[in-house]
Amino acid sequence: MPRVLISTPTFGRFSARPREILETAADVHRPQPDRALRHEELLAHVPDADGLIVGMDDITADVLDAAPRLRVVAKHGVGVDTIDVAAARERGVRVVYAPGSNSRAVAELAFGLMLAAARGIGRSHAEVIGGGWPKPFGPELAGRTLGILGFGRIGRLLGGYATAFGMDVLAHDPHLPAEVFAEHGVRSAGFADCLTGSDFVSLHLPGDPGAAPLLDRAALESMRPGSILVNTARGGLVDEPALADLLHSGHLGGAGVDAFSVEPPAGNPLLTAPNAVLTSHLGACSHEANRQMGRMVAEDVVRVLTGADPVHEAS
């Protein structure tokens, strides 16, 4: 029977169903249920694997070369930027993932970070615990403008939440026709207009490993004075030292950051920046998203191992 190696501790955390699906077609091996496998551990376990389910693991050519039986790599998530998809394809290994499974979870977190950064929720929490009783003031969201960069599933959900709060919404996505924006009740805008014309800017774009930050210092400086940036996408999209500088100077009023260029972000200047609400890349960490993500990747792993084509294959 084929063997599936699970390297991520979050697979099946809130439902037994994903593992049950796998066990209809494979033996399931999970060496470390409570943590992710280190790279050297992954290399040691992968030679016997026909299927591999990963989280944020770097699936590079050396991992693939160590796995002569491997037929499918499944990303327990929606982004495959940590997987060398081209190298997998060269070796005849299918790469599957779970698109859309965490869209609502990420959109809700992004909206929560907007509120937290605007109203000083994190700072107030920390000071109350320490015996203080602060009264931070901040803007209401109603009547403000939200600029959404990337108008896919997550961006569209966030736009709906913002509209319900009485916000005006701009959205930028060069890959979409104009009618999509109108259908969702938002205004299409250029990249620069989203930055200069918004009180809040939220990023919902894929990352390109090794690329320069999309929001470099000049782009961040072009944002409205006092505006708030939210990044629940990829850390590499933002020049983090520049963002920290602009928070210290007061040009930007706040930031909500769930994704960092290096994780955990030890030594990152954002750790000491004022009015920054920082979370541990937990956008996908809802009960519902975890259940759906696990089911989707388990079903596609079984499809590949039984000779069928997967439904959600990375291109």
Side-chain angles (χ1 to χ4, degrees):
M1 183 175 263
R3 190 179 218 207
V4 173
L5 172 65
I6 300 174
S7 73
T8 172
T10 60
F11 177 81
R13 178 170 290 179
F14 295 100
S15 172
R17 184 59 183 152
R19 183 167 185 137
E20 292 170 354
I21 293 169
L22 290 179
E23 289 175 342
T24 64
D27 289 325
V28 179
H29 182 47
R30 192 171 202 165
Q32 295 290 345
D34 300 324
R35 65 168 174 82
L37 293 181
R38 292 186 287 270
H39 193 73
E40 60 273 17
E41 293 174 322
L42 188 60
L43 288 173
H45 287 288
V46 81
D48 296 329
D50 301 277
L52 174 61
I53 298 177
V54 301
M56 296 302 292
D57 314 67
D58 287 322
I59 305 304
T60 49
D62 64 328
V63 175
L64 297 167
D65 287 339
R69 290 171 39 179
L70 195 63
R71 296 160 60 189
V72 57
V73 176
K75 174 62 180 283
H76 190 242
V78 301
V80 294
D81 47 303
T82 58
I83 300 172
D84 191 334
V85 177
R89 188 180 299 113
E90 289 172 2
R91 292 158 176 79
V93 177
R94 314 292 285 266
V95 177
V96 301
Y97 67 126
S101 59
N102 65 6
S103 297
R104 190 171 299 279
V106 176
E108 289 184 0
L109 178 67
F111 199 82
L113 288 173
M114 287 169 53
L115 284 167
R119 298 299 300 274
I121 292 173
R123 173 189 152 203
S124 181
H125 170 80
E127 293 194 24
V128 169
I129 286 176
W133 197 246
K135 300 290 185 182
F137 280 73
E140 296 179 4
L141 271 59
R144 303 284 175 164
T145 299
L146 168 63
I148 300 175
L149 299 179
F151 202 58
R153 296 180 182 93
I154 299 169
R156 295 173 198 185
L157 285 167
L158 181 62
Y161 302 156
T163 300
F165 262 64
M167 301 184 80
D168 184 32
V169 182
L170 306 177
H172 172 69
D173 195 320
H175 305 293
L176 297 176
E179 56 266 25
V180 171
F181 302 95
E183 288 170 3
H184 289 85
V186 307
R187 290 187 288 138
S188 175
F191 175 77
D193 291 337
C194 272
L195 296 181
T196 61
S198 301
D199 304 293
F200 297 80
V201 174
S202 191
L203 305 183
H204 301 285
L205 301 162
D208 186 2
L214 178 67
L215 267 65
D216 57 16
R217 184 174 293 271
L220 292 168
E221 288 176 344
S222 75
M223 292 175 62
R224 282 183 177 176
S227 60
I228 291 171
L229 176 69
V230 172
N231 183 13
T232 56
R234 289 291 182 267
L237 293 170
V238 179
D239 183 332
E240 293 166 337
L243 175 57
D245 288 346
L246 293 170
L247 290 169
H248 279 290
S249 73
H251 177 73
L252 293 180
V257 182
D258 186 52
F260 300 85
S261 56
V262 176
E263 296 178 346
N268 192 305
L270 289 172
L271 296 174
T272 56
N275 302 321
V277 182
L278 311 179
T279 51
S280 52
H281 210 144
L282 52 80
C285 296
S286 74
H287 302 163
E288 295 82 359
N290 182 265
R291 287 192 287 265
Q292 185 172 356
M293 196 179 298
R295 177 187 56 77
M296 289 172 68
V297 298
E299 289 174 348
D300 263 347
V301 167
V302 169
R303 287 187 183 101
V304 173
L305 294 181
T306 56
D309 288 327
V311 173
H312 303 107
E313 185 168 14
S315 57

